[in-house]
Every structure is written in structure tokens, then in C-alpha cells.
Amino acid sequence: IWAFPTNGSPQFFVGAATYGTSRPDVGSYLGASRYNNSGFTFTVTGGNMPAPGTYDFQIFGRSTVTGGFTVARVVRITVQ
């Protein structure tokens, strides 16, 4: 997960999520139980929390097949 400050400051790495959380809805949607544990978790704490401001958190997914990264989601947050 990377934080991109909206004020133009350089982006920085916030941390890596833990992969393998149970998501049977994903397995059902894709029609194969092998995808059931495709969820992830990440907790923002005082140790990895950015300074006050507005950020676009970009969550990148990595393919276990190709090893490539793609943007999976962008979430705008405001830290006060």
C-alpha cells in the first residue's frame, strides 16, 4: 500500500498487506474454491500512519501467476 499526498509531496510506502484471508464470495463469483482465500488485511497504526493531510492510498495487487503489480484500488483519506 502506497500513500500519494495530494499536495504533490513524494509518495511513500505505508506497508504490505497480509494475503490469504477467507473470501468464499470471491471463489463463488469465479466459480472455483481455489480462490476462496484471496482476501487481504492491513491495519493502519500510529507507526505507519502518515502526517496530517490528504492522501490517495493506492493498493496494488500482485499476480501469483505473472508476478506483476496492478492498481487494485485507490482510496482517498484525510489524516487529521
Side-chain angles (χ1 to χ4, degrees):
I1 299 172
W2 285 79
F4 289 77
T6 60
N7 67 5
S9 295
Q11 72 274 5
F12 57 91
F13 184 67
V14 179
T18 301
Y19 174 72
T21 302
S22 179
R23 287 293 308 269
D25 58 313
V26 174
S28 177
Y29 177 79
L30 296 174
S33 62
R34 67 184 176 153
Y35 299 111
N36 283 356
N37 293 322
S38 61
F40 65 91
T41 59
F42 182 78
T43 302
V44 176
T45 67
N48 61 16
M49 185 71 124
T54 302
Y55 301 85
D56 288 331
F57 271 24
Q58 293 190 9
I59 295 90
F60 290 83
R62 184 181 67 82
S63 170
T64 58
V65 175
T66 68
F69 288 88
T70 57
V71 174
R73 178 81 183 213
V74 177
V75 179
R76 180 159 287 182
I77 66 160
T78 300
V79 177
Q80 297 181 351

